[in-house]
Amino acid sequence: MYMTREKIFENRREVARKICQDIRANNGRMLNAKYFSERPYCAGVKPYKFSTANYLRLISSDNEIIHKGNPCWFPATEIKSNEWSLKENAMPVLLEVWTKDADQQCSLTEFYNASDVLGKESFQAKNQSLETVLNFLKERGILEVDDKIVSLQDAIDAVKKYSESHSANELTSILSAQSWLLETRLKTKIISFLPIFSETVLAEIEKSPDILFDAMSKANAFLKKLRHEKIKSATENITTEGFFRDLKIIYHGSEGELQNKNGVTYPKESILTGISAYDFLLALKSAREQKIWLELSYKDYSHGKFLISGEDFVFDEEEFLTPCLRTRLDKNRQYLLDNPHELKKYLLTEKAMSAEELLARISLESKFFQEAMDEFQREEFSYLENPLES
């Protein structure tokens, strides 16, 4: 049944007030937004991305199906016409469908998530790396980096600043930053990075609920503009001078705060290079009770995401870092080389490779790593002899 524009917009105001209540109940964060890593869309006969109005309607929903994070939705009419079956207890959400004629009439139509339709493939989110996300902004001059450490929070702040530079108000800049963050598809604890809605902003929405829908539409326009910004500079920001210019750490997070030698907390989801990366590794010594997740690369060697703690960093008398890295980062390879019978579980994923071939590959990887550590050791020795030259 079609509704008048007046009734549709009054219904939107109810949605806006509901979202405000949810934000207040979640310490100032639009918590349901975390389930939308990409713009939800209708996957019917004529696929299309949902409007920002329907995006907000989904965010306001209490239907637990949104927790699946599947962006694909089908109108109930097409499910019926195709004789598809729904899962038990499947519940629809009501979304706006507007006619394209001159009158532009609207109805609130039932849609079901693809996760509730039997036989539809489950959704697999495609994750991006932190480097890819940050480099996108850096190469467009939106995220300017002067130091050798840059974090996800720096990027969020840069997107807010970008929208503000294009005359966005506080609400629009918050929604711009939040939407950008979610669409990065970073595999991280996204809740802690969701922007905070101030009490002032919430009060403004409750006074004039229409501004939430207007701001969401403008935020979407800002993000489109951001995506089409031209590349202005190279993505590589590592200095070509000084010590450890080939060292890079990606710090994903830890159980508690991790601080540098000056007592400043390292931001989670950050990238450190040069001396800043070396100092970060030294700081792990004081984090004996913590678990820390990071990635490390040095010259041509890269070590993917791994877990470490201060207990792994037992320094020698001269306080060299290299022996700790040698032991910790090569531990798993050395264990398999010493205990080849443990290869069984790895051979299941390497079906085209024999145990002998896998052992040979592990041995080669270990040798490559140790050669990289030989270079690291020489550089570390030189640095500790002449730290003021860095």
Side-chain angles (χ1 to χ4, degrees), residues 119-142:
K120 295 299 177 185
E121 293 183 6
S122 59
F123 173 68
Q124 295 292 331
K126 296 180 180 179
N127 299 314
Q128 290 196 102
S129 70
L130 180 61
E131 281 188 284
T132 299
V133 169
L134 299 186
N135 280 341
F136 179 88
L137 297 180
K138 283 194 281 185
E139 66 187 7
R140 286 160 177 78
I142 294 166

Side-chain angles (χ1 to χ4, degrees), residues 40 50-59 94-97 213:
F50 286 139
S51 65
T52 52
N54 279 335
Y55 178 65
L56 287 173
R57 285 184 179 277
L58 286 169
I59 286 177
L94 294 176
L95 301 178
E96 297 176 15
V97 175
F213 284 80

Side-chain angles (χ1 to χ4, degrees), residues 40 53 70 79 87 186 213 218 230 254 257 271 323 345 354-355:
N70 193 327
I79 291 174
K87 293 180 181 178
L186 274 174
F213 284 80
K218 289 179 179 177
K230 293 182 179 179
S254 53
E257 288 190 348
I271 299 177
K345 58 183 177 181
S354 66

Side-chain angles (χ1 to χ4, degrees), residues 221-283:
F222 283 132
L223 291 186
K224 283 183 179 179
K225 182 176 177 61
L226 186 152
R227 295 186 197 101
H228 290 92
E229 287 283 355
K230 293 182 179 179
I231 294 177
K232 297 178 181 178
S233 59
T235 61
E236 187 59 67
N237 286 283
I238 300 176
T239 179
T240 57
E241 299 179 356
F243 288 103
F244 303 111
R245 63 185 179 87
D246 295 313
L247 175 64
K248 178 171 61 183
I249 298 292
I250 300 178
Y251 169 53
H252 292 290
S254 53
E255 292 178 316
E257 288 190 348
L258 188 62
Q259 298 180 335
N260 66 14
K261 57 188 176 184
N262 297 318
V264 178
T265 300
Y266 284 107
K268 296 178 180 179
E269 296 298 351
S270 58
I271 299 177
L272 306 95
T273 56
I275 299 300
S276 295
Y278 181 80
D279 287 343
F280 174 88
L281 292 173
L282 290 178

